[in-house]
Amino acid sequence: MRLGGKVALITSGASGVGYFVSVAFAREGCSVIAIDKDPGLLHKLKAESPGLISTVTMGCMDSDGMVELASQIDRLDILVNTCSIMSENTAMDCPESTWDHVFDVNVKSMFLTSQAVLPLLTKDGAGSIINFSSVASSLSGVPSRCAYACLLYTSDAADEEDSVDLGGRRIIKKKKNKEYEEYIEVNRHN
């Protein structure tokens, strides 16, 4: 059990990639706090690993709720940000409201969650942040993904800043699609 004794907070932890991360971490002995806006999915997730997975019904943009949750957690070793959405727009037809919504979910939620829990992650000097993203930020142009791909570049820069705030410790960026998978560990400040 590689994660035995560790505590992880996973955003969108009951759906998509977050679901699989929650299950895998629990399987490796990690105590998981899964956050998701869908209580039905959270109930199913908790039933799969009773005792190791606790759940919180909350959207990834609930900054007040995240601060409140962080104040109730005694220890946190790992933050996993998996909350994201995709939009299909070109630069010519992407409405500002879509741009803002994609930014809020894919970038701002990562910032707000990290900000709320950084004091916990730095408390014992061993915290890690794992941010999931898309390979679209590494490709030179993805059709009809204007807001989605552009804002992923921003999340890459945020990882660098979080690494500094963690005292140079690990920010693990995971980028994934069906054909390609890349793992980048940002650890340049040690």
Short mmCIF file of all heavy atoms in Angstrom, two decimals, residues 133-142 145 148-150 152-153 175-177:
data_model
loop_
_atom_site.label_atom_id
_atom_site.label_comp_id
_atom_site.label_asym_id
_atom_site.label_seq_id
_atom_site.Cartn_x
_atom_site.Cartn_y
_atom_site.Cartn_z
N SER A 133 -4.89 17.97 -16.26
CA SER A 133 -5.11 18.90 -17.35
C SER A 133 -5.27 18.08 -18.63
O SER A 133 -5.32 16.86 -18.58
CB SER A 133 -3.92 19.84 -17.44
OG SER A 133 -4.07 20.77 -18.48
N SER A 134 -5.29 18.75 -19.73
CA SER A 134 -5.41 18.07 -21.02
C SER A 134 -4.14 18.27 -21.82
O SER A 134 -3.46 19.29 -21.70
CB SER A 134 -6.60 18.62 -21.79
OG SER A 134 -6.57 18.16 -23.12
N VAL A 135 -3.86 17.32 -22.65
CA VAL A 135 -2.72 17.43 -23.56
C VAL A 135 -2.92 18.59 -24.54
O VAL A 135 -1.98 19.03 -25.17
CB VAL A 135 -2.50 16.08 -24.28
CG1 VAL A 135 -3.59 15.83 -25.29
CG2 VAL A 135 -1.14 16.04 -24.93
N ALA A 136 -4.13 19.12 -24.61
CA ALA A 136 -4.41 20.22 -25.55
C ALA A 136 -3.50 21.42 -25.29
O ALA A 136 -3.22 22.19 -26.20
CB ALA A 136 -5.87 20.64 -25.46
N SER A 137 -3.01 21.60 -24.06
CA SER A 137 -2.13 22.73 -23.79
C SER A 137 -0.72 22.50 -24.32
O SER A 137 0.08 23.43 -24.37
CB SER A 137 -2.07 23.01 -22.28
OG SER A 137 -1.40 21.97 -21.61
N SER A 138 -0.41 21.29 -24.70
CA SER A 138 0.94 20.98 -25.20
C SER A 138 0.99 20.87 -26.72
O SER A 138 2.06 20.73 -27.28
CB SER A 138 1.42 19.65 -24.60
OG SER A 138 1.47 19.74 -23.21
N LEU A 139 -0.16 20.88 -27.35
CA LEU A 139 -0.21 20.73 -28.80
C LEU A 139 -0.25 22.10 -29.46
O LEU A 139 -0.71 23.07 -28.87
CB LEU A 139 -1.44 19.93 -29.20
CG LEU A 139 -1.54 18.52 -28.62
CD1 LEU A 139 -2.86 17.89 -29.01
CD2 LEU A 139 -0.38 17.66 -29.08
N SER A 140 0.19 22.19 -30.67
CA SER A 140 0.16 23.47 -31.37
C SER A 140 -1.15 23.60 -32.14
O SER A 140 -1.20 23.46 -33.35
CB SER A 140 1.36 23.59 -32.32
OG SER A 140 1.36 22.53 -33.24
N GLY A 141 -2.20 23.83 -31.40
CA GLY A 141 -3.51 24.05 -32.00
C GLY A 141 -4.38 22.81 -31.99
O GLY A 141 -3.99 21.76 -32.45
N VAL A 142 -5.54 22.96 -31.41
CA VAL A 142 -6.55 21.90 -31.38
C VAL A 142 -7.82 22.52 -31.94
O VAL A 142 -8.30 23.53 -31.41
CB VAL A 142 -6.79 21.38 -29.93
CG1 VAL A 142 -7.87 20.32 -29.92
CG2 VAL A 142 -5.50 20.86 -29.33
N ARG A 145 -11.24 24.36 -29.90
CA ARG A 145 -10.98 24.29 -28.46
C ARG A 145 -10.32 25.58 -27.98
O ARG A 145 -9.42 25.55 -27.15
CB ARG A 145 -10.08 23.10 -28.11
CG ARG A 145 -10.63 21.74 -28.46
CD ARG A 145 -11.78 21.36 -27.53
NE ARG A 145 -12.17 19.98 -27.73
CZ ARG A 145 -13.06 19.57 -28.59
NH1 ARG A 145 -13.68 20.44 -29.36
NH2 ARG A 145 -13.38 18.31 -28.70
N TYR A 148 -10.73 26.35 -24.08
CA TYR A 148 -10.22 25.17 -23.37
C TYR A 148 -8.70 25.09 -23.44
O TYR A 148 -8.01 25.03 -22.43
CB TYR A 148 -10.88 23.93 -23.97
CG TYR A 148 -10.48 22.63 -23.35
CD1 TYR A 148 -10.87 22.31 -22.05
CD2 TYR A 148 -9.73 21.70 -24.06
CE1 TYR A 148 -10.52 21.10 -21.49
CE2 TYR A 148 -9.38 20.48 -23.51
CZ TYR A 148 -9.79 20.19 -22.21
OH TYR A 148 -9.44 18.99 -21.65
N ALA A 149 -8.14 25.11 -24.63
CA ALA A 149 -6.69 24.96 -24.79
C ALA A 149 -5.93 26.17 -24.25
O ALA A 149 -4.92 26.02 -23.57
CB ALA A 149 -6.34 24.71 -26.25
N CYS A 150 -6.40 27.37 -24.52
CA CYS A 150 -5.71 28.58 -24.05
C CYS A 150 -5.64 28.63 -22.53
O CYS A 150 -4.61 28.97 -21.96
CB CYS A 150 -6.41 29.83 -24.56
SG CYS A 150 -6.21 30.11 -26.32
N LEU A 152 -5.65 26.19 -20.50
CA LEU A 152 -4.78 25.15 -19.96
C LEU A 152 -3.34 25.65 -19.85
O LEU A 152 -2.61 25.25 -18.95
CB LEU A 152 -4.86 23.89 -20.81
CG LEU A 152 -6.21 23.18 -20.74
CD1 LEU A 152 -6.26 22.05 -21.76
CD2 LEU A 152 -6.52 22.68 -19.36
N TYR A 153 -2.94 26.53 -20.75
CA TYR A 153 -1.61 27.13 -20.63
C TYR A 153 -1.52 27.88 -19.30
O TYR A 153 -0.50 27.86 -18.63
CB TYR A 153 -1.34 28.11 -21.77
CG TYR A 153 -1.12 27.46 -23.10
CD1 TYR A 153 -2.04 27.61 -24.13
CD2 TYR A 153 0.03 26.70 -23.35
CE1 TYR A 153 -1.84 27.03 -25.37
CE2 TYR A 153 0.23 26.11 -24.59
CZ TYR A 153 -0.70 26.28 -25.59
OH TYR A 153 -0.50 25.69 -26.81
N LYS A 175 -1.35 15.25 -17.87
CA LYS A 175 -2.06 15.62 -19.09
C LYS A 175 -2.41 14.34 -19.80
O LYS A 175 -1.58 13.47 -19.96
CB LYS A 175 -1.18 16.48 -19.98
CG LYS A 175 -0.76 17.77 -19.33
CD LYS A 175 0.14 18.54 -20.24
CE LYS A 175 0.54 19.82 -19.55
NZ LYS A 175 1.26 20.70 -20.45
N LYS A 176 -3.65 14.25 -20.26
CA LYS A 176 -4.06 12.96 -20.79
C LYS A 176 -5.12 13.12 -21.88
O LYS A 176 -5.99 13.94 -21.77
CB LYS A 176 -4.61 12.12 -19.65
CG LYS A 176 -4.89 10.70 -20.00
CD LYS A 176 -5.21 9.92 -18.74
CE LYS A 176 -5.37 8.48 -19.06
NZ LYS A 176 -5.63 7.67 -17.91
N ASN A 177 -4.99 12.32 -22.90
CA ASN A 177 -6.09 12.08 -23.82
C ASN A 177 -5.97 10.64 -24.29
O ASN A 177 -5.13 9.89 -23.81
CB ASN A 177 -6.12 13.10 -24.97
CG ASN A 177 -5.07 12.87 -26.03
OD1 ASN A 177 -4.35 11.86 -26.01
ND2 ASN A 177 -4.97 13.79 -26.95
#
